[in-house]
């Protein structure tokens, strides 16, 4: 009788371990499938604007490309944003921007900065209008002589 009880305990323990492993496998499958099961459009949701300058140092009169993007907290581009944004430079700068206001197209826009004076230039982007408020951003570009 004792031997039969011991065999049943071993069978029960094996069955319990198998159930735990199977449950873990099913939970893992569900967890990895969730992004594919969510409705379309549940991708990146922008929370801020980001300025990306082609160069952080430039020479006098050089055109510097600056890209404005709407990004989520984890840095992913939100292509559903067509917000209006405003750009400016620090008040003592003599740099010129190609646009002071621009509308994002699929979460992105580009402007150009030109400066004929040796100076540090801080370019700032500020959200004006769109679906939801986006945090602004700034970038420093140093202009030096040739």
């Amino acid at each position: 009788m004792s031997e039969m009880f011991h065999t049943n305990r071993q069978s029960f323990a094996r069955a319990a371990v198998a159930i735990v492993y199977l449950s873990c496998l099913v939970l893992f499958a569900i967890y990895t499938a969730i992004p594919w099961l969510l409705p379309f459009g549940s991708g990146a949701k922008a929370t801020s604007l980001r300025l990306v300058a082609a160069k952080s140092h430039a020479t006098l009169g050089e055109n510097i490309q600056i890209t404005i993007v709407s990004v989520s907290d984890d840095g992913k581009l939100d292509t559903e944003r067509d917000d209006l944004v405003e750009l400016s430079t620090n008040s003592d700068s003599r740099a010129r921007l190609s646009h002071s206001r621009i509308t994002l197209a699929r979460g992105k826009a580009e402007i150009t900065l030109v400066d004929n004076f040796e100076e540090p230039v801080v370019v700032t982007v500020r959200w004006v209008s769109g679906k939801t408020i986006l945090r602004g951003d700034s970038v420093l570009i140093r202009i030096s002589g040739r």
Side-chain angles (χ1 to χ4, degrees), residues 68-107:
I68 306 120
V69 290
S70 59
V71 295
S72 63
D73 285 336
D74 57 354
K76 293 182 182 173
L77 175 68
D78 183 348
T79 58
E80 296 181 13
R81 299 302 293 245
D82 297 320
D83 299 54
L84 178 64
V85 298
E86 185 174 70
L87 295 125
S88 60
T89 59
N90 47 312
S91 60
D92 56 339
S93 171
R94 294 170 279 185
R96 294 183 319 274
L97 296 169
S98 60
H99 297 87
S100 61
R101 279 189 173 210
I102 193 165
T103 301
L104 303 179
R106 298 185 47 81

Side-chain angles (χ1 to χ4, degrees), residues 8 15 19 27 34 36 41 44 51 53 91 101 109 112 118 122-123 125 128 131 140 144:
N8 283 342
I19 290 171
L27 288 173
I34 284 176
W36 299 102
L51 288 174
S91 60
R101 279 189 173 210
T112 304
E118 287 188 50
V122 177
V123 179
V125 64
V128 175
K131 290 181 188 179
L140 171 65
S144 59

Side-chain angles (χ1 to χ4, degrees), residues 9-116:
R9 265 179 95 182
Q10 283 181 337
S11 295
F12 178 75
R14 286 183 185 140
V17 169
I19 290 171
V20 168
Y21 280 129
L22 184 59
S23 299
C24 289
L25 183 63
V26 169
L27 288 173
F28 179 74
I30 291 170
Y31 175 76
T32 56
I34 284 176
W36 299 102
L37 299 174
L38 292 175
F40 183 77
S42 62
K45 298 295 178 203
T47 55
S48 57
L49 297 164
R50 178 101 11 102
L51 288 174
V52 181
K55 294 181 171 187
S56 60
H57 290 79
T59 57
L60 296 172
E62 183 178 358
N63 287 341
I64 302 128
Q65 288 297 121
I66 301 173
T67 304
I68 306 120
V69 290
S70 59
V71 295
S72 63
D73 285 336
D74 57 354
K76 293 182 182 173
L77 175 68
D78 183 348
T79 58
E80 296 181 13
R81 299 302 293 245
D82 297 320
D83 299 54
L84 178 64
V85 298
E86 185 174 70
L87 295 125
S88 60
T89 59
N90 47 312
S91 60
D92 56 339
S93 171
R94 294 170 279 185
R96 294 183 319 274
L97 296 169
S98 60
H99 297 87
S100 61
R101 279 189 173 210
I102 193 165
T103 301
L104 303 179
R106 298 185 47 81
K108 200 173 186 181
E110 289 190 358
I111 62 160
T112 304
L113 172 103
V114 178
D115 197 349
N116 293 316

